[in-house]
Structure formats: C-alpha cells, structure tokens
Amino acid sequence: MTVALVTGGAGGIGAATCARLAAAGHTVVVVDLDLEAAGQVAKEVGGTAFEADVSDPDANRAMIAHALTEHGRLDVLVLNAGVASDVPPDPPLDVARYRRALGVNLDGVVFGIDAGLTALQETGGQIVVTASLAALGPDMANPVYALTKSAVVGYVRALSTPLTPKGVRINAVCPGFTDTDILGIAKRLMRKQKFPLLTPDEVAGAILGIVGGDGTGEAWAVVAGRPPAPFTFPDVPTTLQADGTEVVLKPFLSAK
Ligand SMILES: NC(=O)c1ccc[n+]([C@@H]2O[C@H](COP(=O)([O-])OP(=O)(O)OC[C@H]3O[C@@H](n4cnc5c(N)ncnc54)[C@H](O)[C@@H]3O)[C@@H](O)[C@H]2O)c1
C-alpha cells in the first residue's frame, strides 16, 4: 500500500489529483481548510480527510501525523493548496493580503516539506508542488502571485540536490489557466475570448505523470493543447577568473 497526501484536496486541481491518485492505487489523505468538502472528496476516493491551514507550521505537522497514525506511512506529498493574490501592483501595499498570499502559497510549501520529509525518507517517497505557469514567465499573472509561485519553483529546484541522497524526489507542476474556482471572475473574461482552459483532470494527469516518472528538480509546464513537459531553463552564466578561465564552485551544502 502507498499513501498520498494532497493539500487543497477539497476542490479544483487538488480534488482531481486525489481521484487520480486513488485510481492509481494510492490511499489518499485529503487536506483542506474546508473539512466538509474534504470529507466529501475523501468519501469518493476511499481515503481520509483532515482539516488544516497550510500557512500554520503546527497544522502541517498535524496533517503528516494524521497520515502516519491512520495509514502508517507517507509516499507522495502533493503540496497544492493555494490562493489567488488580489494584491494590486500600485502602492500602498495591502500588507494583510500580501502576507496571506505568501502564507498559503509559499509557507504552505516550505512548512509542508519540513513536516513531511522524515516520513518520505523512510519510504523513498516524493513531493510534487503545485506552482504555476506564472512562475515561468510574466504572462498575465498578478505580481504577488507570480512572486509566490516563482519562489516555490526556485525552492524545488534548489532542494532537489540535497534531497537526492536522502532518496526523495521533488518536482513542481506549473499549470496554465485551469477551470477552477481560483480564477474568480477572470474565468468569465477568458471564456468570452474563447481562451481554452485546462481541466483540473488534465493537470491531475500531469501530476500523476510526474509521480510515475523518475525526474527530480523539474518544473513541468502544463498548458492546454500541448503535452505536459519539463520546462527548460537557460544555462546560468559560469563565473570567470581574472585570467578568463571558468571556475565552478564544488558543492559544499550538507546532504546529511
Ligand atoms: N486554476 C488555475 O488557473 C491555476 C493555475 C496555476 C496554478 N494553480 C494552483 O493550483 C493550486 C490549486 O488551485 P485550484 O486552481 O484547484 O483552486 P481551488 O480554489 O479550486 O482550490 C484550492 C484549494 O485550496 C484550499 N485552500 C486554500 N487556502 C488553504 C489553506 N490555507 N490551507 C489549506 N487549504 C487551503 C481551498 O479550500 C481549495 O480547496 C493552487 O496552488 C493554485 O495556485 C491554479
């Protein structure tokens, strides 16, 4: 038996991911702020539900403890809970909204990984983080939303190196606009332009592809009309010494 935990599992991409994971044979823990909706999804997929606000580190530890107590192990951690940011780009900054966006979209990933890593090491498990296409290009995204999603992609890429010797894979999925509640009124405007939205199940399918693969440190772009694929980042310019020869720093981060 393998156990998967999905945050933001009560709706949209998260609920579709719970369904796909269950169909692939995983026992699923559905985590959300909305316990009633999470309970409904859990019932549909034969898993369990847990109420947590992912911006709270204690709640992250509690959701992992629930998975271990109820199901005995953790193999797949999908950190998917997220909120849109409606922080306007013009001053003055709405600090409360800014902190909320960072709390859910960024802290929710960092705290979730911190809480789940020991259990994932025991099973040789993996983490998938729901970022966004907004992390890969300027596009039409709200800047604070893009900030949070870019940050998690950077975190995933940088963490993949120290997690590899621990036997844990970590990847990000970067969906384009997907037909879920998070789009709010923007959905109507996109429909008006006949802009094709992804379905939550298409994104869930991409997540299952990542789970079934063997890559790490990748950011998979998922857009309507194209097959999901790892985004190719350009090479970083190498450092040159005074004499013009390249110098590469040897790894010095602890991987204990
Ligand atoms: N829909 C899109 O166009 C799109 C595109 C790219 C990325 N994403 C990302 O996909 C993820 C899922 O979003 P969605 O589109 O399915 O939207 P959604 O609003 O349908 O689902 C988000 C879920 O997260 C839950 N949630 C919100 N705050 C939470 C918190 N603090 N703790 C626990 N749960 C919380 C909500 O209750 C909801 O069930 C998000 O991270 C979002 O940023 C969405």
Side-chain angles (χ1 to χ4, degrees):
M1 183 192 68
T2 50
V3 177
L5 184 154
V6 181
T7 67
I13 293 168
T17 302
C18 290
R20 285 270 194 156
L21 285 164
H26 301 275
T27 299
V28 180
V29 179
V30 186
V31 175
D32 208 282
L33 266 184
D34 183 342
L35 183 59
E36 202 183 320
Q40 188 55 44
V41 174
K43 205 168 143 196
E44 285 161 21
V45 303
T48 57
F50 191 80
E51 181 180 357
D53 178 344
V54 299
S55 64
D56 173 4
D58 290 338
N60 278 276
R61 284 190 280 270
M63 78 186 182
I64 301 294
H66 166 91
L68 297 179
T69 308
E70 291 296 315
H71 307 292
R73 58 186 288 148
L74 181 66
D75 300 86
V76 180
L77 179 58
V78 183
L79 299 171
N80 164 81
V83 289
S85 160
D86 45 4
V87 180
D90 299 319
L93 181 71
D94 183 330
V95 175
R97 285 190 194 173
Y98 167 75
R99 295 254 179 259
R100 181 71 191 145
L102 265 66
V104 181
N105 296 0
L106 181 51
D107 295 349
V109 170
V110 176
F111 297 160
I113 293 170
D114 186 55
L117 192 55
T118 304
L120 291 170
Q121 254 183 278
E122 279 167 20
T123 58
Q126 61 176 298
I127 301 159
V128 181
V129 174
T130 309
S132 168
L133 210 60
L136 306 179
D139 207 9
M140 299 283 285
N142 173 279
V144 169
Y145 182 78
L147 162 71
T148 62
K149 297 300 185 179
S150 304
V152 297
V153 167
Y155 198 60
V156 163
R157 296 181 73 211
L159 256 184
S160 65
T161 303
L163 293 199
T164 296
K166 295 176 191 287
V168 176
R169 296 198 293 122
I170 181 165
N171 293 286
V173 63
C174 298
F177 293 116
T178 309
D179 192 353
T180 73
D181 291 348
I182 208 171
L183 291 183
I185 58 157
K187 201 194 284 194
R188 211 161 8 104
L189 303 173
M190 288 172 199
R191 286 229 173 95
K192 230 172 157 180
Q193 291 186 35
K194 298 194 172 18
F195 184 84
L197 297 176
L198 288 157
T199 65
D201 185 61
E202 285 176 299
V203 181
I207 291 172
L208 263 286
I210 294 169
V211 169
D214 57 9
T216 193
E218 294 174 342
W220 282 66
V222 186
V223 292
R226 294 180 189 271
F231 184 73
T232 310
F233 292 89
D235 288 339
V236 176
T238 50
T239 300
L240 299 182
Q241 303 187 96
D243 64 2
T245 57
E246 284 186 352
V247 56
V248 179
L249 194 60
K250 292 190 179 66
F252 58 88
L253 284 177
S254 159
K256 72 173 162 45

